[in-house]
């Protein structure tokens, strides 16, 4: 009972501070950090433990570390582009500029997929909260379609700016819930250890060739840092470089602590249930499933609105503003509803990972071309080799990633 009270207090205090702190509201560094941080910690946090536990068992912590290292390396390429490519991006045309334009087209397509992904995940958590089967795809797709029509309709009618303001509160609630969940898991592990009951669960921890391909398809759980690349109108380059690094390091530490503490909760039959975090945490504290469900629904809705806005803005940019924003939202609605009915939630996770992996591949190629042209660049050979290797790894994710089943 006491732990339930502690969880509620931590959620309210941390979430309230993040949402209403005047100091944070006035901080440019926090504003530039929280956007990529919230994106990284959004839906990935909810699905990472059960999916990794179902695929690789007790090796989940090491596999998460590998995903984080790959993501940080990609972030290095994008940070390089912020510093060295952005100043020349609009100066004439060349291979780097052409690849950057192509990457924006790919990113717009990736946003279409992630909007679908967020809404399908929201629908799954909503059905779970109503004690309806999350395997009922018709019901889940109907709920997802209704939500997409609502978001798209508001976008075409009034624009999504007002809905975007809800993101601050949804992000604060989600981060507050994450802090409370880590406290609860730490207490749970300490109690088990003190009672001599702590042990690794008896689950399969072997990695087959197919499991490796499924892991490649989970890159989306650490995606989101690239948003710093497109905040140039709001923050200077060096601040975005610094805060992107902070957001990746902070989220990486949180992910590793979370997976490490959650491993004791793994059990057989996790399979590919994206809402399994609810049942996993029920033995820890009675209040956790409810708070996690609320945070999941709020964070997925705000993330879908944010990516809908991002996709609409990219479509305007790609078409040189020849496509009015309301028609852009209509196009996004048509594509996302089609994706809802053509995929299931696990396959859309894999498709989202692969789409962003292609975007990351192109960003690495841009960095490679820019580094090649800069003959006086420090550690030029090391950078060229690094960008080539990371680009190749991202292409492998794009080519071979599989959904969990």
């Amino acid at each position: 009972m006491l732990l339930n009270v502690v969880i509620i207090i931590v959620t309210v205090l941390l979430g309230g501070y993040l949402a209403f702190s005047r100091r944070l509201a006035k901080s440019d560094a926090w504003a530039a950090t929280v956007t990529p941080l919230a994106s990284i910690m959004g839906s990935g946090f909810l699905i990472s433990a059960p999916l990794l536990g179902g695929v690789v068992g007790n090796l989940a912590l090491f596999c998460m570390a590998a995903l984080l290292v790959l993501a940080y390396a990609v972030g290095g390429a994008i940070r390089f582009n912020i510093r060295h490519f952005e100043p020349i991006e609009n100066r004439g045309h060349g291979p780097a500029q052409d690849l950057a334009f192509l990457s924006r087209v790919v990113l717009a397509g990736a946003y279409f997929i992630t909007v679908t992904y967020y809404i399908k995940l929201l629908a799954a958590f909503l059905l779970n909260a109503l004690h309806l089967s999350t395997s009922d795809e018709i019901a889940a797709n109907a709920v997802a379609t209704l939500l997409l029509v609502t978001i798209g309709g508001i976008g075409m009618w009034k624009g999504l700016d007002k809905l975007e303001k809800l993101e601050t509160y949804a992000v604060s609630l989600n981060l507050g819930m994450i802090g409370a969940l880590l406290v609860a898991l730490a207490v749970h592990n300490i109690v088990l250890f003190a009672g001599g009951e702590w042990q690794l669960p008896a689950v399969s921890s072997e990695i087959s060739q197919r499991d490796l391909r499924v892991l490649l398809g989970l890159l989306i759980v650490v995606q989101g840092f690239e948003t710093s690349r497109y905040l140039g109108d709001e923050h200077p380059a060096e601040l975005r470089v610094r805060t992107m690094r902070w957001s990746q390091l902070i989220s990486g530490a949180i992910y590793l602590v979370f997976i490490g503490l959650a491993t004791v909760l793994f059990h057989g039959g996790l399979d590919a249930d994206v809402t399994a975090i609810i049942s996993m945490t029920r033995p820890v504290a009675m209040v956790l499933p409810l708070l996690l469900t609320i945070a999941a629904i709020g964070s997925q809705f705000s993330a879908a609105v944010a990516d809908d806005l991002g996709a609409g803005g990219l479509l305007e940019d790609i078409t040189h503003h020849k496509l009015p924003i309301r028609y852009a939202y209509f196009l996004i609605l048509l594509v996302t509803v089609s994706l809802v009915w053509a995929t299931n939630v696990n396959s859309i996770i894999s498709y989202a990972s692969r789409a962003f992996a292609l975007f990351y591949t192109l960003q690495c190629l841009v960095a490679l071309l820019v580094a090649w042209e800069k003959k006086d660049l420090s550690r030029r050979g090391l950078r060229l080799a690094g960008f080539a290797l990371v680009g190749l790894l991202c292409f492998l994710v794009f080519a071979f990633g599989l959904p969990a089943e």
Side-chain angles (χ1 to χ4, degrees):
M1 185 64 184
L2 179 60
L3 184 55
N4 289 306
V5 175
V6 170
I7 290 170
I8 293 173
I9 290 174
V10 172
T11 302
V12 171
L13 290 181
L14 182 55
Y17 176 73
L18 294 175
F20 301 108
S21 168
R22 292 183 179 179
R23 180 182 176 186
L24 291 181
K26 295 177 181 178
S27 170
D28 289 337
W30 172 247
T33 302
V34 74
T35 300
L37 178 62
S39 188
I40 298 168
M41 298 304 303
S43 54
F45 190 82
L46 297 168
I47 65 173
S48 58
L51 288 184
L52 285 171
V55 175
V56 297
N58 296 328
L59 297 176
L61 180 62
F62 303 102
C63 293
M64 174 54 76
L67 286 173
L68 289 167
V69 168
L70 174 58
Y72 191 80
V74 175
I78 295 178
R79 287 189 287 274
F80 178 87
N81 287 340
I82 291 174
R83 276 198 176 113
H84 298 282
F85 176 64
E86 278 189 7
I88 62 171
E89 185 170 8
N90 296 314
R91 295 180 189 172
H93 290 284
Q97 283 82 358
D98 292 339
L99 279 175
F101 178 80
L102 178 60
S103 75
R104 289 201 298 276
V105 175
V106 170
L107 183 60
Y111 278 151
F112 284 23
I113 299 173
T114 53
V115 169
T116 310
Y117 157 50
Y118 293 137
I119 291 299
K120 284 181 79 76
L121 199 56
L122 189 163
F125 276 98
L126 185 59
L127 290 179
N128 182 275
L130 297 174
H131 303 290
L132 298 173
S133 174
T134 55
S135 61
D136 185 349
E137 290 196 16
I138 293 179
N141 290 344
V143 171
T145 300
L146 179 61
L147 290 167
L148 287 169
V149 169
T150 300
I151 293 172
I154 292 173
M156 289 183 283
W157 180 41
K158 289 284 189 180
L160 293 176
D161 294 340
K162 286 186 170 55
L163 284 181
E164 188 183 22
K165 294 176 183 177
L166 296 174
E167 186 179 10
T168 301
Y169 303 105
V171 166
S172 300
L173 173 63
N174 194 40
L175 293 177
M177 185 61 250
I178 287 171
L181 177 59
L182 293 180
V183 170
L185 288 174
V187 171
H188 183 70
N189 277 263
I190 291 170
V191 169
L192 289 177
F193 188 79
E197 299 178 9
W198 194 98
Q199 60 181 358
L200 288 173
V203 294
S204 174
S205 300
E206 297 179 355
I207 302 179
S208 66
Q209 185 180 37
R210 188 185 185 285
D211 291 338
L212 185 60
R213 293 183 64 185
V214 171
L215 285 173
L216 294 177
L218 292 179
L219 181 63
I220 191 70
V221 303
V222 290
Q223 167 270 331
F225 52 88
E226 73 287 334
T227 54
S228 296
R229 170 75 172 82
Y230 299 100
L231 295 175
D233 292 339
E234 301 171 41
H235 306 290
E238 284 305 314
L239 180 62
R240 285 182 289 133
V241 167
R242 189 168 68 251
T243 53
M244 185 208 284
R245 185 180 292 114
W246 289 350
S247 69
Q248 287 196 278
L249 293 174
I250 293 168
S251 61
I254 292 172
Y255 266 120
L256 292 176
V257 171
F258 170 57
I259 297 296
L261 293 174
T263 298
V264 73
L265 301 175
F266 292 168
H267 56 79
L270 281 176
D271 298 323
D273 181 6
V274 293
T275 65
I277 188 69
I278 302 299
S279 60
M280 280 176 60
T281 56
R282 192 168 284 118
V284 178
M286 195 170 50
V287 73
L288 274 177
L290 175 61
L291 292 179
L292 280 171
T293 299
I294 294 171
I297 291 172
S299 64
Q300 299 321 292
F301 185 80
S302 67
V305 170
D307 279 9
D308 215 309
L309 268 165
L314 279 169
L315 287 175
E316 276 194 308
D317 179 51
I318 290 166
T319 61
H320 304 290
H321 297 275
K322 293 178 181 177
L323 181 69
I325 191 65
R326 65 174 55 192
Y327 293 119
Y329 287 139
F330 181 67
L331 176 60
I332 294 166
L333 177 61
L334 288 180
V335 174
T336 52
V337 169
S338 299
L339 285 172
V340 160
W341 290 94
T343 62
N344 60 49
V345 68
N346 289 297
S347 64
I348 203 69
I349 289 171
S350 176
Y351 294 148
S353 290
R354 295 171 69 182
F356 271 97
L358 180 57
F359 169 73
Y360 295 152
T361 301
L362 294 171
Q363 285 292 305
C364 288
L365 288 176
V366 170
L368 188 66
L369 288 173
V370 173
W372 180 263
E373 292 296 327
K374 285 183 170 289
K375 307 299 183 183
D376 58 343
L377 187 67
S378 65
R379 298 176 297 166
R380 180 169 174 266
L382 183 61
R383 289 176 189 267
L384 288 170
F387 296 150
L389 176 60
V390 175
L392 176 61
L393 290 173
C394 289
F395 182 77
L396 291 177
V397 174
F398 166 69
F400 297 110
L402 286 177
E405 293 180 354

